[in-house]
Amino acid sequence: MKIKIKTYNGELPSYLTVGKVYEVNPSEGFDGLYDLVDDTGDTLNIDIDDCVHLNGGSWEIVDG
């Protein structure tokens, strides 16, 4: 699935980019979370609707 930042609160972390499309896959062992490789190559566990990396912001699905 492909996603991009929809909303974020406060300052955006330097390891994520507005407008960039990221590929995500379901996280093993974590229901409702997805694995995303950030701009520095690290893997993040993210929640599409309430993401701690976006300070409670959300992601938009751009390709199912």
Side-chain angles (χ1 to χ4, degrees):
M1 176 168 67
K2 295 181 181 179
I3 63 173
K4 67 179 182 177
I5 295 171
K6 183 176 182 179
T7 62
Y8 63 94
N9 300 304
E11 194 171 318
L12 185 66
S14 62
Y15 52 84
L16 296 172
T17 304
V18 171
K20 181 175 180 176
V21 175
Y22 296 91
E23 181 78 30
V24 294
N25 295 301
S27 292
E28 275 190 42
F30 297 100
D31 287 341
L33 296 181
Y34 294 85
D35 291 335
L36 175 147
V37 177
D38 69 16
D39 296 348
T40 64
D42 291 331
T43 300
L44 308 175
N45 292 107
I46 63 155
D47 182 327
I48 298 287
D49 298 315
D50 183 17
C51 184
V52 297
H53 300 282
L54 302 176
N55 298 312
S58 62
W59 295 87
E60 176 182 355
I61 298 170
V62 296
D63 182 22

